[in-house]
mmCIF file of all heavy atoms in Angstrom:
data_model
loop_
_atom_site.group_PDB
_atom_site.id
_atom_site.type_symbol
_atom_site.label_atom_id
_atom_site.label_comp_id
_atom_site.label_asym_id
_atom_site.label_seq_id
_atom_site.Cartn_x
_atom_site.Cartn_y
_atom_site.Cartn_z
ATOM 1 N N PHE A 122 0.601 5.746 -4.580
ATOM 2 C CA PHE A 122 1.381 4.570 -5.055
ATOM 3 C C PHE A 122 0.880 4.232 -6.428
ATOM 4 O O PHE A 122 -0.187 4.721 -6.875
ATOM 5 C CB PHE A 122 1.236 3.477 -4.118
ATOM 6 C CG PHE A 122 -0.215 2.919 -4.003
ATOM 7 C CD1 PHE A 122 -0.530 1.821 -4.636
ATOM 8 C CD2 PHE A 122 -1.138 3.575 -3.144
ATOM 9 C CE1 PHE A 122 -1.848 1.343 -4.602
ATOM 10 C CE2 PHE A 122 -2.372 3.092 -3.090
ATOM 11 C CZ PHE A 122 -2.795 1.976 -3.742
ATOM 12 N N SER A 123 1.591 3.410 -7.167
ATOM 13 C CA SER A 123 1.202 2.887 -8.491
ATOM 14 C C SER A 123 0.642 1.528 -8.371
ATOM 15 O O SER A 123 1.125 0.760 -7.627
ATOM 16 C CB SER A 123 2.399 2.968 -9.410
ATOM 17 O OG SER A 123 2.880 4.293 -9.570
ATOM 18 N N CYS A 124 -0.323 1.187 -9.261
ATOM 19 C CA CYS A 124 -0.922 -0.136 -9.335
ATOM 20 C C CYS A 124 0.172 -1.072 -9.820
ATOM 21 O O CYS A 124 0.772 -0.813 -10.893
ATOM 22 C CB CYS A 124 -2.097 -0.157 -10.198
ATOM 23 S SG CYS A 124 -2.807 -1.825 -10.450
ATOM 24 N N PRO A 125 0.440 -2.176 -9.226
ATOM 25 C CA PRO A 125 1.524 -3.096 -9.687
ATOM 26 C C PRO A 125 1.079 -3.761 -11.026
ATOM 27 O O PRO A 125 1.987 -4.453 -11.643
ATOM 28 C CB PRO A 125 1.675 -4.093 -8.531
ATOM 29 C CG PRO A 125 0.396 -3.982 -7.831
ATOM 30 C CD PRO A 125 -0.143 -2.587 -7.966
ATOM 31 N N HIS A 126 -0.202 -3.742 -11.409
ATOM 32 C CA HIS A 126 -0.618 -4.341 -12.609
ATOM 33 C C HIS A 126 -0.675 -3.446 -13.820
ATOM 34 O O HIS A 126 -0.247 -3.827 -14.912
ATOM 35 C CB HIS A 126 -2.094 -4.954 -12.448
ATOM 36 C CG HIS A 126 -2.104 -5.872 -11.228
ATOM 37 N ND1 HIS A 126 -1.599 -7.177 -11.249
ATOM 38 C CD2 HIS A 126 -2.602 -5.715 -9.994
ATOM 39 C CE1 HIS A 126 -1.747 -7.728 -10.096
ATOM 40 N NE2 HIS A 126 -2.425 -6.879 -9.301
ATOM 41 N N CYS A 127 -1.218 -2.213 -13.648
ATOM 42 C CA CYS A 127 -1.364 -1.312 -14.734
ATOM 43 C C CYS A 127 -0.526 -0.004 -14.637
ATOM 44 O O CYS A 127 -0.659 0.914 -15.431
ATOM 45 C CB CYS A 127 -2.827 -0.955 -14.976
ATOM 46 S SG CYS A 127 -3.547 -0.052 -13.669
ATOM 47 N N SER A 128 0.129 0.114 -13.570
ATOM 48 C CA SER A 128 0.968 1.334 -13.224
ATOM 49 C C SER A 128 0.225 2.610 -13.133
ATOM 50 O O SER A 128 0.743 3.696 -13.264
ATOM 51 C CB SER A 128 2.036 1.531 -14.352
ATOM 52 O OG SER A 128 2.890 0.372 -14.444
ATOM 53 N N HIS A 129 -1.148 2.479 -12.929
ATOM 54 C CA HIS A 129 -1.932 3.661 -12.714
ATOM 55 C C HIS A 129 -1.633 4.236 -11.339
ATOM 56 O O HIS A 129 -1.516 3.462 -10.308
ATOM 57 C CB HIS A 129 -3.385 3.248 -12.848
ATOM 58 C CG HIS A 129 -4.382 4.381 -12.634
ATOM 59 N ND1 HIS A 129 -4.522 5.365 -13.599
ATOM 60 C CD2 HIS A 129 -5.156 4.719 -11.654
ATOM 61 C CE1 HIS A 129 -5.423 6.216 -13.173
ATOM 62 N NE2 HIS A 129 -5.852 5.870 -11.988
ATOM 63 N N ARG A 130 -1.583 5.548 -11.243
ATOM 64 C CA ARG A 130 -1.268 6.195 -9.976
ATOM 65 C C ARG A 130 -2.546 6.280 -9.153
ATOM 66 O O ARG A 130 -3.634 6.630 -9.649
ATOM 67 C CB ARG A 130 -0.730 7.627 -10.203
ATOM 68 C CG ARG A 130 0.588 7.719 -10.928
ATOM 69 C CD ARG A 130 1.710 7.194 -10.001
ATOM 70 N NE ARG A 130 1.925 8.059 -8.840
ATOM 71 C CZ ARG A 130 2.623 7.786 -7.796
ATOM 72 N NH1 ARG A 130 3.374 6.568 -7.776
ATOM 73 N NH2 ARG A 130 2.867 8.638 -6.831
ATOM 74 N N ILE A 131 -2.402 5.930 -7.960
ATOM 75 C CA ILE A 131 -3.515 5.775 -7.031
ATOM 76 C C ILE A 131 -3.296 6.630 -5.775
ATOM 77 O O ILE A 131 -2.140 6.710 -5.256
ATOM 78 C CB ILE A 131 -3.850 4.367 -6.654
ATOM 79 C CG1 ILE A 131 -4.032 3.484 -7.962
ATOM 80 C CG2 ILE A 131 -4.999 4.168 -5.714
ATOM 81 C CD1 ILE A 131 -4.138 2.018 -7.703
ATOM 82 N N LYS A 132 -4.324 7.282 -5.276
ATOM 83 C CA LYS A 132 -4.311 7.991 -4.007
ATOM 84 C C LYS A 132 -5.170 7.258 -3.059
ATOM 85 O O LYS A 132 -6.293 6.924 -3.405
ATOM 86 C CB LYS A 132 -4.669 9.464 -4.121
ATOM 87 C CG LYS A 132 -3.718 10.289 -5.029
ATOM 88 C CD LYS A 132 -4.245 11.672 -5.144
ATOM 89 C CE LYS A 132 -3.332 12.523 -5.967
ATOM 90 N NZ LYS A 132 -3.796 13.930 -6.073
ATOM 91 N N ALA A 133 -4.762 7.054 -1.794
ATOM 92 C CA ALA A 133 -5.599 6.387 -0.798
ATOM 93 C C ALA A 133 -5.334 7.021 0.596
ATOM 94 O O ALA A 133 -4.368 7.696 0.878
ATOM 95 C CB ALA A 133 -5.172 4.924 -0.718
ATOM 96 N N GLN A 134 -6.357 6.976 1.476
ATOM 97 C CA GLN A 134 -6.318 7.526 2.758
ATOM 98 C C GLN A 134 -5.325 6.670 3.611
ATOM 99 O O GLN A 134 -5.172 5.497 3.447
ATOM 100 C CB GLN A 134 -7.690 7.560 3.396
ATOM 101 C CG GLN A 134 -8.761 8.392 2.606
ATOM 102 C CD GLN A 134 -8.397 9.826 2.685
ATOM 103 O OE1 GLN A 134 -7.795 10.350 3.714
ATOM 104 N NE2 GLN A 134 -8.763 10.547 1.637
ATOM 105 N N LEU A 135 -4.717 7.346 4.638
ATOM 106 C CA LEU A 135 -3.833 6.673 5.550
ATOM 107 C C LEU A 135 -4.501 5.517 6.284
ATOM 108 O O LEU A 135 -3.926 4.473 6.672
ATOM 109 C CB LEU A 135 -3.284 7.641 6.575
ATOM 110 C CG LEU A 135 -2.175 8.633 6.024
ATOM 111 C CD1 LEU A 135 -1.847 9.610 7.170
ATOM 112 C CD2 LEU A 135 -0.924 7.850 5.602
ATOM 113 N N ALA A 136 -5.830 5.730 6.557
ATOM 114 C CA ALA A 136 -6.600 4.733 7.301
ATOM 115 C C ALA A 136 -6.658 3.357 6.549
ATOM 116 O O ALA A 136 -6.990 2.393 7.124
ATOM 117 C CB ALA A 136 -7.957 5.235 7.605
ATOM 118 N N THR A 137 -6.526 3.446 5.192
ATOM 119 C CA THR A 137 -6.654 2.210 4.341
ATOM 120 C C THR A 137 -5.346 1.468 4.150
ATOM 121 O O THR A 137 -5.294 0.446 3.446
ATOM 122 C CB THR A 137 -7.215 2.513 2.917
ATOM 123 O OG1 THR A 137 -6.262 3.432 2.300
ATOM 124 C CG2 THR A 137 -8.519 3.275 3.099
ATOM 125 N N ALA A 138 -4.278 1.950 4.783
ATOM 126 C CA ALA A 138 -2.933 1.317 4.622
ATOM 127 C C ALA A 138 -3.027 -0.055 5.104
ATOM 128 O O ALA A 138 -3.592 -0.400 6.143
ATOM 129 C CB ALA A 138 -1.866 2.090 5.411
ATOM 130 N N GLY A 139 -2.496 -1.015 4.207
ATOM 131 C CA GLY A 139 -2.492 -2.428 4.565
ATOM 132 C C GLY A 139 -3.762 -3.115 4.276
ATOM 133 O O GLY A 139 -3.901 -4.406 4.547
ATOM 134 N N ILE A 140 -4.789 -2.476 3.679
ATOM 135 C CA ILE A 140 -6.051 -3.075 3.397
ATOM 136 C C ILE A 140 -6.098 -3.505 1.971
ATOM 137 O O ILE A 140 -5.615 -2.803 1.056
ATOM 138 C CB ILE A 140 -7.180 -2.115 3.607
ATOM 139 C CG1 ILE A 140 -7.253 -1.767 5.155
ATOM 140 C CG2 ILE A 140 -8.549 -2.734 3.275
ATOM 141 C CD1 ILE A 140 -8.223 -0.740 5.531
ATOM 142 N N ARG A 141 -6.651 -4.697 1.621
ATOM 143 C CA ARG A 141 -6.802 -5.176 0.291
ATOM 144 C C ARG A 141 -7.897 -4.384 -0.476
ATOM 145 O O ARG A 141 -9.059 -4.196 0.186
ATOM 146 C CB ARG A 141 -7.096 -6.641 0.212
ATOM 147 C CG ARG A 141 -5.887 -7.532 0.677
ATOM 148 C CD ARG A 141 -6.173 -8.983 0.622
ATOM 149 N NE ARG A 141 -6.469 -9.418 -0.740
ATOM 150 C CZ ARG A 141 -5.552 -9.773 -1.619
ATOM 151 N NH1 ARG A 141 -4.239 -9.680 -1.306
ATOM 152 N NH2 ARG A 141 -5.818 -10.112 -2.807
ATOM 153 N N SER A 142 -7.774 -4.106 -1.692
ATOM 154 C CA SER A 142 -8.787 -3.311 -2.471
ATOM 155 C C SER A 142 -8.645 -3.577 -3.979
ATOM 156 O O SER A 142 -7.954 -4.578 -4.280
ATOM 157 C CB SER A 142 -8.576 -1.757 -2.177
ATOM 158 O OG SER A 142 -9.633 -1.027 -2.872
ATOM 159 N N LYS A 143 -9.366 -2.826 -4.838
ATOM 160 C CA LYS A 143 -9.266 -3.034 -6.304
ATOM 161 C C LYS A 143 -8.701 -1.742 -7.033
ATOM 162 O O LYS A 143 -9.055 -0.600 -6.583
ATOM 163 C CB LYS A 143 -10.589 -3.389 -6.828
ATOM 164 C CG LYS A 143 -11.085 -4.768 -6.486
ATOM 165 C CD LYS A 143 -12.369 -5.074 -7.170
ATOM 166 C CE LYS A 143 -12.933 -6.453 -6.752
ATOM 167 N NZ LYS A 143 -12.045 -7.488 -7.337
ATOM 168 N N CYS A 144 -7.882 -1.944 -7.936
ATOM 169 C CA CYS A 144 -7.394 -0.775 -8.694
ATOM 170 C C CYS A 144 -8.611 -0.163 -9.399
ATOM 171 O O CYS A 144 -9.264 -0.703 -10.077
ATOM 172 C CB CYS A 144 -6.374 -1.221 -9.735
ATOM 173 S SG CYS A 144 -5.765 0.139 -10.784
ATOM 174 N N PRO A 145 -8.755 1.234 -9.272
ATOM 175 C CA PRO A 145 -9.917 1.865 -9.949
ATOM 176 C C PRO A 145 -9.838 1.856 -11.445
ATOM 177 O O PRO A 145 -10.772 2.134 -12.079
ATOM 178 C CB PRO A 145 -9.856 3.286 -9.303
ATOM 179 C CG PRO A 145 -8.518 3.451 -8.866
ATOM 180 C CD PRO A 145 -8.050 2.138 -8.440
ATOM 181 N N HIS A 146 -8.515 1.584 -11.919
ATOM 182 C CA HIS A 146 -8.420 1.579 -13.412
ATOM 183 C C HIS A 146 -8.527 0.202 -13.998
ATOM 184 O O HIS A 146 -9.243 0.057 -14.978
ATOM 185 C CB HIS A 146 -7.009 2.185 -13.727
ATOM 186 C CG HIS A 146 -6.760 2.388 -15.175
ATOM 187 N ND1 HIS A 146 -6.018 1.495 -15.990
ATOM 188 C CD2 HIS A 146 -7.173 3.366 -16.061
ATOM 189 C CE1 HIS A 146 -6.069 1.922 -17.188
ATOM 190 N NE2 HIS A 146 -6.673 3.039 -17.247
ATOM 191 N N CYS A 147 -7.747 -0.778 -13.469
ATOM 192 C CA CYS A 147 -7.806 -2.146 -14.116
ATOM 193 C C CYS A 147 -8.585 -3.159 -13.345
ATOM 194 O O CYS A 147 -8.747 -4.267 -13.698
ATOM 195 C CB CYS A 147 -6.359 -2.604 -14.330
ATOM 196 S SG CYS A 147 -5.465 -2.908 -12.753
ATOM 197 N N LYS A 148 -9.119 -2.726 -12.224
ATOM 198 C CA LYS A 148 -9.936 -3.521 -11.299
ATOM 199 C C LYS A 148 -9.205 -4.713 -10.751
ATOM 200 O O LYS A 148 -9.848 -5.681 -10.246
ATOM 201 C CB LYS A 148 -11.236 -3.973 -12.120
ATOM 202 C CG LYS A 148 -11.977 -2.865 -12.747
ATOM 203 C CD LYS A 148 -12.471 -1.865 -11.746
ATOM 204 C CE LYS A 148 -13.331 -0.796 -12.414
ATOM 205 N NZ LYS A 148 -13.729 0.226 -11.425
ATOM 206 N N ALA A 149 -7.879 -4.725 -10.851
ATOM 207 C CA ALA A 149 -7.122 -5.847 -10.248
ATOM 208 C C ALA A 149 -6.995 -5.677 -8.695
ATOM 209 O O ALA A 149 -7.122 -4.641 -8.214
ATOM 210 C CB ALA A 149 -5.737 -5.866 -10.910
ATOM 211 N N ASN A 150 -6.901 -6.795 -8.024
ATOM 212 C CA ASN A 150 -6.763 -6.817 -6.517
ATOM 213 C C ASN A 150 -5.378 -6.235 -6.174
ATOM 214 O O ASN A 150 -4.306 -6.721 -6.735
ATOM 215 C CB ASN A 150 -6.917 -8.185 -6.003
ATOM 216 C CG ASN A 150 -8.360 -8.744 -6.148
ATOM 217 O OD1 ASN A 150 -9.248 -7.953 -6.122
ATOM 218 N ND2 ASN A 150 -8.545 -10.001 -6.327
ATOM 219 N N ILE A 151 -5.467 -5.287 -5.339
ATOM 220 C CA ILE A 151 -4.219 -4.709 -4.782
ATOM 221 C C ILE A 151 -4.280 -4.529 -3.333
ATOM 222 O O ILE A 151 -5.359 -4.582 -2.664
ATOM 223 C CB ILE A 151 -3.976 -3.325 -5.501
ATOM 224 C CG1 ILE A 151 -5.032 -2.354 -5.186
ATOM 225 C CG2 ILE A 151 -3.723 -3.456 -7.044
ATOM 226 C CD1 ILE A 151 -4.870 -0.902 -5.621
ATOM 227 N N THR A 152 -3.161 -4.228 -2.661
ATOM 228 C CA THR A 152 -3.078 -3.979 -1.302
ATOM 229 C C THR A 152 -2.512 -2.589 -1.068
ATOM 230 O O THR A 152 -1.373 -2.261 -1.625
ATOM 231 C CB THR A 152 -2.221 -4.977 -0.520
ATOM 232 O OG1 THR A 152 -2.843 -6.333 -0.647
ATOM 233 C CG2 THR A 152 -2.186 -4.649 0.967
ATOM 234 N N VAL A 153 -3.159 -1.723 -0.414
ATOM 235 C CA VAL A 153 -2.675 -0.355 -0.205
ATOM 236 C C VAL A 153 -1.473 -0.446 0.683
ATOM 237 O O VAL A 153 -1.430 -1.039 1.739
ATOM 238 C CB VAL A 153 -3.730 0.507 0.484
ATOM 239 C CG1 VAL A 153 -3.198 1.880 0.812
ATOM 240 C CG2 VAL A 153 -4.991 0.558 -0.273
ATOM 241 N N PRO A 154 -0.300 -0.019 0.173
ATOM 242 C CA PRO A 154 0.965 -0.129 0.844
ATOM 243 C C PRO A 154 0.970 0.735 2.098
ATOM 244 O O PRO A 154 0.279 1.783 2.243
ATOM 245 C CB PRO A 154 1.968 0.322 -0.157
ATOM 246 C CG PRO A 154 1.323 1.224 -1.072
ATOM 247 C CD PRO A 154 -0.152 0.815 -1.105
ATOM 248 N N MET A 155 1.916 0.329 3.116
ATOM 249 C CA MET A 155 2.092 1.151 4.277
ATOM 250 C C MET A 155 3.120 2.248 3.931
ATOM 251 O O MET A 155 4.096 1.971 3.194
ATOM 252 C CB MET A 155 2.660 0.225 5.365
ATOM 253 C CG MET A 155 1.795 -0.822 5.860
ATOM 254 S SD MET A 155 0.492 -0.256 7.000
ATOM 255 C CE MET A 155 1.486 0.162 8.352
ATOM 256 N N PRO A 156 2.860 3.504 4.329
ATOM 257 C CA PRO A 156 3.863 4.533 4.242
ATOM 258 C C PRO A 156 5.113 4.149 4.956
ATOM 259 O O PRO A 156 5.158 3.421 5.938
ATOM 260 C CB PRO A 156 3.194 5.763 4.717
ATOM 261 C CG PRO A 156 2.156 5.243 5.674
ATOM 262 C CD PRO A 156 1.670 3.920 5.177
ATOM 263 N N GLU A 157 6.316 4.649 4.428
ATOM 264 C CA GLU A 157 7.528 4.266 5.061
ATOM 265 C C GLU A 157 7.613 4.572 6.529
ATOM 266 O O GLU A 157 8.186 3.818 7.359
ATOM 267 C CB GLU A 157 8.661 4.951 4.237
ATOM 268 C CG GLU A 157 8.846 4.430 2.827
ATOM 269 C CD GLU A 157 10.062 5.113 2.167
ATOM 270 O OE1 GLU A 157 10.678 5.967 2.850
ATOM 271 O OE2 GLU A 157 10.291 4.858 0.966
ATOM 272 N N TYR A 158 7.108 5.704 6.907
ATOM 273 C CA TYR A 158 7.142 6.115 8.315
ATOM 274 C C TYR A 158 6.252 5.296 9.228
ATOM 275 O O TYR A 158 6.264 5.420 10.413
ATOM 276 C CB TYR A 158 6.922 7.657 8.558
ATOM 277 C CG TYR A 158 5.513 8.028 8.049
ATOM 278 C CD1 TYR A 158 4.448 7.984 8.972
ATOM 279 C CD2 TYR A 158 5.357 8.599 6.807
ATOM 280 C CE1 TYR A 158 3.229 8.493 8.552
ATOM 281 C CE2 TYR A 158 4.155 9.007 6.388
ATOM 282 C CZ TYR A 158 3.134 9.027 7.261
ATOM 283 O OH TYR A 158 1.845 9.394 6.831
ATOM 284 N N LEU A 159 5.350 4.499 8.650
ATOM 285 C CA LEU A 159 4.496 3.591 9.398
ATOM 286 C C LEU A 159 4.933 2.202 9.425
ATOM 287 O O LEU A 159 4.242 1.295 9.956
ATOM 288 C CB LEU A 159 3.073 3.716 8.892
ATOM 289 C CG LEU A 159 2.363 5.057 9.209
ATOM 290 C CD1 LEU A 159 0.954 5.017 8.658
ATOM 291 C CD2 LEU A 159 2.322 5.432 10.620
ATOM 292 N N GLU A 160 6.026 1.874 8.700
ATOM 293 C CA GLU A 160 6.486 0.474 8.552
ATOM 294 C C GLU A 160 6.906 0.012 9.998
ATOM 295 O O GLU A 160 7.602 0.742 10.742
ATOM 296 C CB GLU A 160 7.539 0.278 7.648
ATOM 297 C CG GLU A 160 7.101 0.437 6.171
ATOM 298 C CD GLU A 160 8.208 0.240 5.190
ATOM 299 O OE1 GLU A 160 9.357 -0.050 5.671
ATOM 300 O OE2 GLU A 160 7.948 0.316 4.001
ATOM 301 N N PRO A 161 6.596 -1.212 10.383
ATOM 302 C CA PRO A 161 7.067 -1.711 11.747
ATOM 303 C C PRO A 161 8.525 -1.747 11.838
ATOM 304 O O PRO A 161 9.243 -2.011 10.886
ATOM 305 C CB PRO A 161 6.448 -3.092 11.779
ATOM 306 C CG PRO A 161 6.231 -3.429 10.300
ATOM 307 C CD PRO A 161 5.906 -2.244 9.649
ATOM 308 N N ILE A 162 8.955 -1.324 13.041
ATOM 309 C CA ILE A 162 10.376 -1.319 13.312
ATOM 310 C C ILE A 162 10.876 -2.775 13.670
ATOM 311 O O ILE A 162 10.273 -3.403 14.431
ATOM 312 C CB ILE A 162 10.701 -0.390 14.470
ATOM 313 C CG1 ILE A 162 10.206 1.042 14.202
ATOM 314 C CG2 ILE A 162 12.190 -0.388 14.835
ATOM 315 C CD1 ILE A 162 10.301 1.986 15.307
ATOM 316 N N LYS A 163 11.952 -3.128 13.013
ATOM 317 C CA LYS A 163 12.554 -4.455 13.239
ATOM 318 C C LYS A 163 13.573 -4.300 14.377
ATOM 319 O O LYS A 163 14.486 -3.585 14.263
ATOM 320 C CB LYS A 163 13.206 -4.907 11.944
ATOM 321 C CG LYS A 163 12.254 -5.197 10.767
ATOM 322 C CD LYS A 163 13.065 -5.696 9.641
ATOM 323 C CE LYS A 163 12.118 -6.058 8.419
ATOM 324 N NZ LYS A 163 12.831 -6.572 7.278
ATOM 325 N N HIS A 164 13.249 -5.035 15.443
ATOM 326 C CA HIS A 164 14.107 -4.968 16.585
ATOM 327 C C HIS A 164 15.159 -6.026 16.520
ATOM 328 O O HIS A 164 14.816 -7.176 16.060
ATOM 329 C CB HIS A 164 13.322 -5.102 17.859
ATOM 330 C CG HIS A 164 12.294 -3.994 18.105
ATOM 331 N ND1 HIS A 164 12.722 -2.782 18.665
ATOM 332 C CD2 HIS A 164 10.951 -3.932 17.873
ATOM 333 C CE1 HIS A 164 11.635 -1.940 18.762
ATOM 334 N NE2 HIS A 164 10.552 -2.631 18.248
ATOM 335 N N GLU A 165 16.295 -5.794 16.950
ATOM 336 C CA GLU A 165 17.335 -6.826 17.047
ATOM 337 C C GLU A 165 17.000 -7.746 18.197
ATOM 338 O O GLU A 165 16.450 -7.301 19.203
ATOM 339 C CB GLU A 165 18.713 -6.162 17.250
ATOM 340 C CG GLU A 165 19.172 -5.311 16.095
ATOM 341 C CD GLU A 165 20.543 -4.838 16.346
ATOM 342 O OE1 GLU A 165 21.114 -5.103 17.395
ATOM 343 O OE2 GLU A 165 21.137 -4.041 15.478
ATOM 344 N N PRO A 166 17.405 -9.065 17.993
ATOM 345 C CA PRO A 166 17.078 -9.950 19.050
ATOM 346 C C PRO A 166 17.845 -9.635 20.348
ATOM 347 O O PRO A 166 18.989 -9.051 20.264
ATOM 348 C CB PRO A 166 17.498 -11.312 18.529
ATOM 349 C CG PRO A 166 18.480 -10.948 17.450
ATOM 350 C CD PRO A 166 17.929 -9.676 16.862
ATOM 351 N N GLU A 167 17.257 -9.782 21.486
ATOM 352 C CA GLU A 167 17.865 -9.463 22.728
ATOM 353 C C GLU A 167 19.114 -10.308 22.940
ATOM 354 O O GLU A 167 19.117 -11.518 22.655
ATOM 355 C CB GLU A 167 16.952 -9.613 23.946
ATOM 356 C CG GLU A 167 15.740 -8.743 23.877
ATOM 357 C CD GLU A 167 14.886 -8.879 25.164
ATOM 358 O OE1 GLU A 167 15.254 -9.715 26.040
ATOM 359 O OE2 GLU A 167 13.935 -8.138 25.265
#
């Protein structure tokens, strides 16, 4: 994914998805995004 502050491309392990961290380039606080196939499924109300 790309850092939302400096657009630096970042690689992260799947285990860190959803965890807050720092951009290795600009040191800004970022959150490792969830991969699309791991996003929670939105269920329709019963």
